[in-house]
Amino acid sequence: MTKKSIPDVLRIAVAQLNPTVGDIAGNLAKAREARADAARQGADLVLFTELFLAGYPPEDLVLKPAFLAACERAAEDFAKDTADNGPGVIIGVPLKRKSGVHNAIIVADGGKVIAERFKVDLPNYGEFDEKRVFQAGPDMPGPVNFRGVRLGIPICEDIWGELGVCETLAESGAEILLVPNGSPYYRAKMDVRHQVAIRQVIESGLPLLYANQLGGQDELVFDGASFAINADHSLAFQMSQFEETVAMTLWRRGDEGWACVEGPMSKIPEREEADYRACMLGLRDYVNKNGFKNVVLGLSGGIDSAICAALAVDALGEERLRAIMMPYRYTSSDSLKDAEDCARALGCRYDIVPIHEPVDGFSHALTQLFEGTKEGITEENLQSRARGTILMAVSNKFGSMVVTTGNKSEMSVGYATLYGDMNGGFNPIKDLYKMQVYALSRWRNSQVPPGAFGPSGIVIPENIIDKAPSAELRPNQTDQDSLPPYPVLDDILECLVENEMGVDEIVVRGHDRDTVHRIEHLLYIAEYKRRQAAPGVKITKKNFGRDRRYPITNRFRDRG
């Protein structure tokens, strides 16, 4: 190739899309549609995200030879599409080679695969477990020559770790770093990604394009928000968060190398909006990708079920939510009114199913067994379990998925009833502490998130936000009868769960030592309940499930 034929302009389309794990044909069709869209926009190259054809994370699916074979066939078919003189593609796919099964990308152009590259740095922390199913690339990746431009293509963790992949690519002649990612959301993750990218730009001296997956996959939500950092450390473009799109970027070669000179510049949502939209997207994709037509939840008149109802309507539409109030003798008139007002504001179906008969029936059936004992938590839990049984019956009869509504504060200390209010298929607020639930409820009453199907205005009645929270399982009960105030409880829990702080450190923050010991004890003994809980959206850096794996049988207590 002569010097004159080396391009000075490169049009790269970033495909920030929502694949489904295991839907190889559907993901290929989505990739083809995106490539056609990019071709209409004049793209030279389309960059897809990590393991796009398989969906990410595929977990143990990659141990199945049939799955790997289907993924590779799809990659080969997609490569053949590039014979039409349209844009080339970079797309993620698992590949089995002599060196093992790899988290890989192919580069295709002119109707064939022109390069393969393997992920070198396999993450094995938090929500990631890639060393279980993949082998690391046997060699450091070199640049790929695409139409005269030398592209470095590190894959996700290759820019997060300390192996020096980007520096190696720069030293071997790469001109631009294009990074396919499957980076899940947690609060303030965008700042972390920008910092990681800037560090690699500084160390390599190269501009970096970060393409991130979108969509919900079980507990994880991928928020998109793809971006690029130029070699001068400036933000070259920023794509939207929580929105599926194919965006065109223009790259130009100058005296100092390549720079992105055109691209979208979207605003990243603030904290409450981002958390709410993550919960909404996670619920929507869990329901839709698993084939549920609609959902049902118990609407108690409390804030947790109210925000879950709002999330369900925003994610799915009012016609796909059925809310059921299940009153007992301790249910207050305020709760009855608040639940009805909430359902009316959201426009969803609202039914009332009293639970007096089933609870009294259980109590009667157990009279002889319980003779001589005092009433207490067991009898309270019969109410919760009757409600759980009714919701599961509705689920079985009508095919609706039960949305469960326990927040992270309750799940932490075990204030949830197995086979009762823990019944359900998915929990959109599982990783939100109680005070965060309040903050998001106030935010939702003043805003309608983009892409939401729900109405504007107050959808969570103010009385629900203002009143003291209560399970209403006995007369005049409030949560604070047996727990410290939620601001205190949440701070202690964040110290214990998110930050793994010792008791002495927490006490220094101003907390009572006996209270901290008690909360730590409750946290540990509730592990068996959390193992049986429904999955829910990851919002914090350390959610229950993928990120925090404590033993059920555990006698350790921090006594200094």
Side-chain angles (χ1 to χ4, degrees):
M1 179 176 288
T2 65
K3 186 174 182 180
K4 289 184 179 179
S5 66
I6 297 175
D8 292 324
V9 172
L10 192 63
R11 295 173 178 84
I12 303 176
V14 182
Q16 180 175 292
L17 303 177
N18 188 345
T20 299
V21 168
D23 185 9
I24 301 166
N27 296 339
L28 176 58
K30 188 179 282 286
R32 282 172 162 158
E33 183 180 352
R35 181 175 179 269
D37 182 7
R40 289 190 291 271
Q41 298 184 59
D44 301 305
L45 176 66
V46 188
L47 175 63
F48 292 87
T49 53
E50 182 176 14
L51 292 181
F52 183 86
L53 289 172
Y56 186 79
E59 302 186 84
D60 284 10
L61 275 174
V62 299
L63 301 178
K64 295 187 71 67
F67 179 76
L68 292 174
C71 288
E72 184 154 6
R73 284 195 301 271
E76 291 168 351
D77 289 345
F78 196 34
K80 292 174 184 176
D81 293 352
T82 63
D84 62 2
N85 296 318
V89 298
I90 298 172
I91 194 164
V93 60
L95 293 176
K96 184 175 184 179
R97 296 294 182 258
K98 290 182 180 180
S99 50
V101 177
H102 296 290
N103 182 333
I105 58 95
I106 65 159
V107 184
D109 196 30
K112 60 184 180 180
V113 175
I114 63 172
E116 298 174 351
R117 292 294 182 267
F118 305 145
K119 191 174 185 177
V120 175
D121 199 347
L122 299 179
N124 212 56
Y125 57 86
E127 65 268 31
F128 301 111
D129 199 10
E130 289 196 20
K131 289 182 180 179
R132 173 184 171 84
V133 294
F134 289 117
Q135 284 73 50
D139 304 301
M140 293 290 264
V144 176
N145 189 321
F146 177 80
R147 301 184 186 180
V149 183
R150 295 186 300 277
L151 303 176
I153 314 173
I155 302 172
C156 200
E157 190 70 16
D158 287 344
I159 74 166
W160 290 73
E162 303 296 332
L163 296 183
V165 177
C166 294
E167 285 184 276
T168 300
L169 285 165
E171 290 168 358
S172 54
E175 300 172 82
I176 306 173
L177 298 174
L178 303 183
V179 190
N181 292 270
S183 177
Y185 175 82
Y186 60 73
R187 189 176 297 122
K189 185 73 170 284
M190 277 305 308
D191 292 339
V192 178
R193 292 186 192 129
H194 283 168
Q195 291 165 10
V196 168
I198 289 171
R199 185 181 76 239
Q200 295 296 351
V201 169
I202 291 171
E203 292 180 359
S204 68
L206 299 177
L208 182 150
L209 192 165
Y210 186 107
N212 193 33
Q213 179 175 310
L214 181 86
Q217 171 59 28
D218 297 343
E219 303 102 316
L220 302 179
V221 169
F222 298 89
D223 54 312
S226 305
F227 63 92
I229 304 291
N230 275 327
D232 64 1
H233 314 160
S234 64
L235 183 65
F237 75 84
Q238 176 66 67
M239 291 172 66
S240 58
Q241 201 171 18
F242 307 110
E243 295 177 11
E244 191 172 29
T245 185
V246 177
M248 181 62 64
T249 68
L250 179 64
W251 295 71
R252 196 178 302 278
R253 188 202 303 267
D255 294 339
E256 302 298 323
W258 286 90
C260 179
V261 296
E262 290 182 21
M265 195 60 75
S266 300
K267 183 180 178 182
I268 297 301
E270 297 295 331
R271 172 172 167 159
E272 279 76 22
E273 178 182 348
D275 285 355
Y276 191 94
R277 292 175 69 182
C279 293
M280 187 175 82
L281 179 58
L283 177 60
R284 175 183 290 163
D285 277 358
Y286 192 87
V287 171
N288 290 340
K289 289 181 178 181
N290 286 290
F292 292 102
K293 293 180 180 179
N294 46 51
V295 297
V296 59
L297 62 75
L299 194 60
S300 68
I303 195 165
D304 296 325
S305 63
I307 195 173
C308 287
L311 282 163
V313 169
D314 284 339
L316 306 169
E318 62 185 45
E319 72 284 355
R320 296 179 68 185
L321 169 64
R322 184 176 197 160
I324 302 179
M325 159 56 89
M326 293 166 283
Y328 190 56
R329 65 179 62 135
Y330 306 125
T331 303
S332 68
S333 57
D334 276 354
S335 292
L336 285 163
K337 182 179 185 302
D338 291 340
E340 183 177 359
D341 289 347
C342 183
R344 185 182 296 113
L346 290 167
C348 63
R349 176 168 176 169
Y350 177 68
D351 297 301
I352 299 177
V353 180
I355 63 168
H356 301 81
E357 290 185 6
V359 173
D360 292 347
F362 281 127
S363 297
H364 180 73
L366 293 165
T367 298
Q368 187 172 355
L369 288 176
F370 289 180
E371 186 177 359
T373 64
K374 293 181 180 180
E375 286 194 7
I377 292 175
T378 300
E379 285 73 21
E380 292 178 14
N381 286 343
L382 284 177
Q383 299 167 50
S384 180
R385 292 190 171 117
R387 292 180 175 117
T389 299
I390 289 168
L391 291 174
M392 291 308 300
V394 172
S395 173
N396 291 160
K397 179 63 71 174
F398 301 106
S400 306
M401 189 199 78
V402 177
V403 173
T404 186
T405 61
N407 61 66
K408 191 171 187 176
S409 303
E410 294 172 350
M411 297 302 299
S412 296
V413 295
Y415 276 51
T417 305
L418 275 175
Y419 325 120
D421 56 322
M422 287 179 65
N423 278 3
F426 195 76
N427 182 353
I429 64 167
K430 182 180 180 181
D431 203 28
L432 291 174
Y433 290 107
K434 189 75 169 189
M435 297 310 296
Q436 292 164 356
V437 170
Y438 280 110
L440 264 61
S441 297
R442 294 186 183 97
W443 178 86
R444 178 59 183 88
N445 276 350
S446 64
Q447 305 284 336
V448 180
F453 296 114
S456 60
I458 294 176
V459 295
I460 300 173
E462 295 291 349
N463 192 54
I464 290 179
I465 297 174
D466 294 339
K467 69 184 178 183
S470 170
E472 294 191 325
L473 299 175
R474 62 176 182 267
N476 303 313
Q477 180 186 29
T478 68
D479 292 0
Q480 312 299 200
D481 294 341
S482 52
L483 291 173
Y486 276 114
V488 174
L489 175 64
D490 288 358
D491 189 67
I492 293 173
L493 289 171
E494 286 198 53
C495 291
L496 290 168
V497 176
E498 263 69 47
N499 301 316
E500 299 287 2
M501 291 169 64
V503 169
D504 289 343
E505 295 176 89
I506 301 172
V507 171
V508 169
R509 292 170 63 90
H511 295 295
D512 173 72
R513 183 176 295 274
D514 288 343
T515 300
V516 176
H517 281 313
R518 177 168 172 262
I519 298 306
E520 181 202 39
H521 178 68
L522 291 174
L523 175 67
Y524 286 153
I525 65 172
E527 185 62 38
Y528 81 101
K529 288 188 178 182
R530 291 190 290 270
R531 293 288 184 95
Q532 300 178 65
V537 178
K538 171 183 167 69
I539 294 295
T540 66
K541 197 170 182 179
K542 189 170 285 189
N543 74 330
F544 291 128
R546 286 181 177 269
D547 296 327
R548 187 180 186 277
R549 306 178 191 182
Y550 269 64
I552 295 174
T553 304
N554 168 26
R555 290 193 177 182
F556 174 77
R557 299 295 183 269
D558 182 5
R559 293 296 181 261

Short mmCIF file of all heavy atoms in Angstrom, two decimals, residues 94-127:
data_model
loop_
_atom_site.label_atom_id
_atom_site.label_comp_id
_atom_site.label_asym_id
_atom_site.label_seq_id
_atom_site.Cartn_x
_atom_site.Cartn_y
_atom_site.Cartn_z
N PRO A 94 -17.32 -16.30 21.53
CA PRO A 94 -16.43 -17.30 22.12
C PRO A 94 -15.89 -18.22 21.02
O PRO A 94 -16.63 -18.65 20.14
CB PRO A 94 -17.35 -18.05 23.09
CG PRO A 94 -18.73 -17.91 22.52
CD PRO A 94 -18.74 -16.57 21.83
N LEU A 95 -14.60 -18.51 21.08
CA LEU A 95 -13.97 -19.35 20.07
C LEU A 95 -13.16 -20.46 20.73
O LEU A 95 -12.38 -20.20 21.67
CB LEU A 95 -13.03 -18.53 19.18
CG LEU A 95 -13.69 -17.47 18.27
CD1 LEU A 95 -12.62 -16.69 17.53
CD2 LEU A 95 -14.67 -18.12 17.30
N LYS A 96 -13.34 -21.69 20.26
CA LYS A 96 -12.54 -22.82 20.73
C LYS A 96 -11.40 -23.05 19.75
O LYS A 96 -11.62 -23.29 18.56
CB LYS A 96 -13.40 -24.08 20.86
CG LYS A 96 -12.63 -25.25 21.44
CD LYS A 96 -13.52 -26.46 21.68
CE LYS A 96 -12.72 -27.58 22.35
NZ LYS A 96 -13.56 -28.76 22.62
N ARG A 97 -10.19 -22.96 20.27
CA ARG A 97 -8.99 -23.17 19.48
C ARG A 97 -8.08 -24.17 20.20
O ARG A 97 -8.38 -24.61 21.31
CB ARG A 97 -8.26 -21.83 19.24
CG ARG A 97 -9.08 -20.82 18.43
CD ARG A 97 -9.29 -21.32 17.01
NE ARG A 97 -10.03 -20.37 16.17
CZ ARG A 97 -11.31 -20.49 15.86
NH1 ARG A 97 -12.02 -21.50 16.38
NH2 ARG A 97 -11.90 -19.64 15.05
N LYS A 98 -6.96 -24.50 19.60
CA LYS A 98 -6.06 -25.47 20.22
C LYS A 98 -5.60 -25.02 21.60
O LYS A 98 -5.32 -25.84 22.48
CB LYS A 98 -4.85 -25.70 19.32
CG LYS A 98 -5.18 -26.47 18.04
CD LYS A 98 -3.92 -26.70 17.21
CE LYS A 98 -4.25 -27.48 15.93
NZ LYS A 98 -3.03 -27.70 15.10
N SER A 99 -5.54 -23.70 21.79
CA SER A 99 -5.08 -23.15 23.07
C SER A 99 -6.18 -23.10 24.11
O SER A 99 -5.95 -22.70 25.26
CB SER A 99 -4.51 -21.75 22.86
OG SER A 99 -5.40 -20.94 22.13
N GLY A 100 -7.40 -23.50 23.74
CA GLY A 100 -8.51 -23.53 24.69
C GLY A 100 -9.72 -22.76 24.19
O GLY A 100 -9.79 -22.37 23.01
N VAL A 101 -10.68 -22.53 25.09
CA VAL A 101 -11.87 -21.75 24.76
C VAL A 101 -11.60 -20.31 25.18
O VAL A 101 -11.25 -20.05 26.33
CB VAL A 101 -13.11 -22.29 25.49
CG1 VAL A 101 -14.34 -21.42 25.19
CG2 VAL A 101 -13.38 -23.73 25.07
N HIS A 102 -11.77 -19.39 24.25
CA HIS A 102 -11.37 -18.00 24.48
C HIS A 102 -12.54 -17.03 24.37
O HIS A 102 -13.43 -17.21 23.53
CB HIS A 102 -10.29 -17.59 23.48
CG HIS A 102 -9.02 -18.36 23.61
ND1 HIS A 102 -8.17 -18.23 24.67
CD2 HIS A 102 -8.47 -19.32 22.80
CE1 HIS A 102 -7.14 -19.04 24.52
NE2 HIS A 102 -7.30 -19.72 23.39
N ASN A 103 -12.50 -16.02 25.21
CA ASN A 103 -13.32 -14.82 25.04
C ASN A 103 -12.64 -14.03 23.95
O ASN A 103 -11.54 -13.48 24.16
CB ASN A 103 -13.37 -14.05 26.37
CG ASN A 103 -14.24 -12.81 26.29
OD1 ASN A 103 -14.41 -12.22 25.23
ND2 ASN A 103 -14.76 -12.38 27.43
N ALA A 104 -13.26 -13.95 22.77
CA ALA A 104 -12.55 -13.48 21.58
C ALA A 104 -13.36 -12.46 20.80
O ALA A 104 -14.55 -12.23 21.07
CB ALA A 104 -12.24 -14.68 20.68
N ILE A 105 -12.68 -11.85 19.85
CA ILE A 105 -13.35 -11.04 18.82
C ILE A 105 -12.85 -11.52 17.45
O ILE A 105 -11.75 -12.08 17.34
CB ILE A 105 -13.09 -9.52 18.96
CG1 ILE A 105 -11.60 -9.20 18.92
CG2 ILE A 105 -13.72 -8.99 20.23
CD1 ILE A 105 -11.07 -8.82 17.55
N ILE A 106 -13.69 -11.34 16.45
CA ILE A 106 -13.23 -11.47 15.07
C ILE A 106 -13.30 -10.11 14.41
O ILE A 106 -14.14 -9.28 14.75
CB ILE A 106 -14.05 -12.49 14.27
CG1 ILE A 106 -15.52 -12.01 14.12
CG2 ILE A 106 -13.98 -13.89 14.89
CD1 ILE A 106 -16.26 -12.66 12.97
N VAL A 107 -12.40 -9.89 13.49
CA VAL A 107 -12.46 -8.73 12.60
C VAL A 107 -12.75 -9.28 11.22
O VAL A 107 -12.03 -10.16 10.73
CB VAL A 107 -11.14 -7.94 12.60
CG1 VAL A 107 -11.28 -6.68 11.74
CG2 VAL A 107 -10.72 -7.58 14.02
N ALA A 108 -13.81 -8.79 10.59
CA ALA A 108 -14.21 -9.29 9.28
C ALA A 108 -14.30 -8.15 8.29
O ALA A 108 -14.78 -7.06 8.62
CB ALA A 108 -15.55 -10.03 9.37
N ASP A 109 -13.85 -8.41 7.07
CA ASP A 109 -13.92 -7.41 5.99
C ASP A 109 -13.75 -8.15 4.67
O ASP A 109 -13.05 -9.17 4.60
CB ASP A 109 -12.82 -6.36 6.16
CG ASP A 109 -13.07 -5.11 5.31
OD1 ASP A 109 -14.25 -4.78 5.08
OD2 ASP A 109 -12.08 -4.45 4.92
N GLY A 110 -14.41 -7.65 3.62
CA GLY A 110 -14.27 -8.25 2.31
C GLY A 110 -14.78 -9.67 2.23
O GLY A 110 -14.32 -10.47 1.40
N GLY A 111 -15.73 -10.03 3.11
CA GLY A 111 -16.35 -11.35 3.05
C GLY A 111 -15.63 -12.43 3.83
O GLY A 111 -16.01 -13.60 3.74
N LYS A 112 -14.62 -12.07 4.63
CA LYS A 112 -13.90 -13.10 5.37
C LYS A 112 -13.40 -12.56 6.71
O LYS A 112 -13.35 -11.35 6.93
CB LYS A 112 -12.73 -13.62 4.55
CG LYS A 112 -11.71 -12.55 4.20
CD LYS A 112 -10.61 -13.12 3.31
CE LYS A 112 -9.58 -12.04 2.95
NZ LYS A 112 -8.51 -12.58 2.08
N VAL A 113 -13.04 -13.47 7.57
CA VAL A 113 -12.42 -13.11 8.85
C VAL A 113 -10.96 -12.78 8.57
O VAL A 113 -10.20 -13.63 8.06
CB VAL A 113 -12.53 -14.26 9.87
CG1 VAL A 113 -11.76 -13.90 11.15
CG2 VAL A 113 -13.99 -14.56 10.19
N ILE A 114 -10.56 -11.56 8.88
CA ILE A 114 -9.17 -11.16 8.63
C ILE A 114 -8.31 -11.23 9.88
O ILE A 114 -7.07 -11.18 9.80
CB ILE A 114 -9.08 -9.75 8.01
CG1 ILE A 114 -9.63 -8.69 8.96
CG2 ILE A 114 -9.83 -9.71 6.68
CD1 ILE A 114 -9.39 -7.26 8.48
N ALA A 115 -8.94 -11.37 11.06
CA ALA A 115 -8.16 -11.47 12.29
C ALA A 115 -9.04 -11.99 13.42
O ALA A 115 -10.26 -11.81 13.42
CB ALA A 115 -7.56 -10.12 12.68
N GLU A 116 -8.40 -12.66 14.36
CA GLU A 116 -9.00 -13.04 15.63
C GLU A 116 -8.10 -12.52 16.75
O GLU A 116 -6.87 -12.51 16.62
CB GLU A 116 -9.09 -14.57 15.77
CG GLU A 116 -9.96 -15.25 14.74
CD GLU A 116 -9.90 -16.77 14.86
OE1 GLU A 116 -9.06 -17.29 15.63
OE2 GLU A 116 -10.68 -17.44 14.15
N ARG A 117 -8.71 -12.10 17.83
CA ARG A 117 -7.95 -11.68 19.00
C ARG A 117 -8.62 -12.25 20.26
O ARG A 117 -9.85 -12.31 20.33
CB ARG A 117 -7.84 -10.16 19.10
CG ARG A 117 -7.00 -9.52 18.00
CD ARG A 117 -5.54 -9.93 18.11
NE ARG A 117 -4.69 -9.29 17.10
CZ ARG A 117 -4.40 -9.82 15.91
NH1 ARG A 117 -4.92 -11.00 15.57
NH2 ARG A 117 -3.61 -9.18 15.07
N PHE A 118 -7.79 -12.65 21.22
CA PHE A 118 -8.28 -13.29 22.43
C PHE A 118 -8.04 -12.40 23.64
O PHE A 118 -7.01 -11.72 23.74
CB PHE A 118 -7.57 -14.63 22.66
CG PHE A 118 -7.66 -15.58 21.50
CD1 PHE A 118 -6.61 -16.43 21.19
CD2 PHE A 118 -8.80 -15.63 20.70
CE1 PHE A 118 -6.68 -17.31 20.12
CE2 PHE A 118 -8.89 -16.51 19.63
CZ PHE A 118 -7.81 -17.35 19.33
N LYS A 119 -8.98 -12.42 24.56
CA LYS A 119 -8.84 -11.68 25.81
C LYS A 119 -7.72 -12.29 26.64
O LYS A 119 -7.67 -13.50 26.84
CB LYS A 119 -10.17 -11.73 26.57
CG LYS A 119 -10.30 -10.81 27.76
CD LYS A 119 -11.72 -10.88 28.31
CE LYS A 119 -12.01 -9.92 29.42
NZ LYS A 119 -13.42 -9.97 29.86
N VAL A 120 -6.84 -11.43 27.12
CA VAL A 120 -5.67 -11.89 27.87
C VAL A 120 -5.94 -11.89 29.37
O VAL A 120 -5.57 -12.81 30.08
CB VAL A 120 -4.45 -11.00 27.54
CG1 VAL A 120 -3.26 -11.39 28.40
CG2 VAL A 120 -4.10 -11.08 26.06
N ASP A 121 -6.57 -10.83 29.86
CA ASP A 121 -6.77 -10.64 31.30
C ASP A 121 -8.21 -11.04 31.65
O ASP A 121 -9.15 -10.30 31.39
CB ASP A 121 -6.51 -9.18 31.67
CG ASP A 121 -6.25 -8.99 33.15
OD1 ASP A 121 -6.51 -9.93 33.92
OD2 ASP A 121 -5.79 -7.91 33.54
N LEU A 122 -8.37 -12.21 32.24
CA LEU A 122 -9.71 -12.73 32.56
C LEU A 122 -10.10 -12.31 33.97
O LEU A 122 -9.42 -12.66 34.94
CB LEU A 122 -9.74 -14.25 32.45
CG LEU A 122 -9.41 -14.84 31.07
CD1 LEU A 122 -9.45 -16.36 31.14
CD2 LEU A 122 -10.35 -14.32 30.01
N PRO A 123 -11.19 -11.56 34.12
CA PRO A 123 -11.59 -11.12 35.46
C PRO A 123 -12.17 -12.26 36.28
O PRO A 123 -12.88 -13.11 35.76
CB PRO A 123 -12.65 -10.04 35.17
CG PRO A 123 -13.23 -10.46 33.85
CD PRO A 123 -12.11 -11.08 33.08
N ASN A 124 -11.86 -12.24 37.56
CA ASN A 124 -12.32 -13.29 38.45
C ASN A 124 -12.61 -12.70 39.83
O ASN A 124 -12.11 -13.16 40.84
CB ASN A 124 -11.28 -14.40 38.56
CG ASN A 124 -11.92 -15.76 38.76
OD1 ASN A 124 -12.74 -16.17 37.96
ND2 ASN A 124 -11.54 -16.46 39.82
N TYR A 125 -13.44 -11.66 39.85
CA TYR A 125 -13.78 -10.97 41.09
C TYR A 125 -15.20 -10.44 40.94
O TYR A 125 -15.72 -10.31 39.84
CB TYR A 125 -12.81 -9.81 41.35
CG TYR A 125 -12.76 -8.80 40.21
CD1 TYR A 125 -13.67 -7.75 40.14
CD2 TYR A 125 -11.81 -8.91 39.20
CE1 TYR A 125 -13.63 -6.84 39.09
CE2 TYR A 125 -11.77 -8.00 38.15
CZ TYR A 125 -12.69 -6.97 38.10
OH TYR A 125 -12.67 -6.07 37.05
N GLY A 126 -15.82 -10.11 42.09
CA GLY A 126 -17.16 -9.53 42.03
C GLY A 126 -18.10 -10.39 41.23
O GLY A 126 -18.27 -11.60 41.46
N GLU A 127 -18.71 -9.77 40.22
CA GLU A 127 -19.70 -10.49 39.40
C GLU A 127 -19.06 -11.34 38.31
O GLU A 127 -19.75 -12.05 37.59
CB GLU A 127 -20.67 -9.48 38.76
CG GLU A 127 -20.02 -8.54 37.76
CD GLU A 127 -19.55 -7.24 38.39
OE1 GLU A 127 -19.18 -7.24 39.57
OE2 GLU A 127 -19.55 -6.21 37.69
#
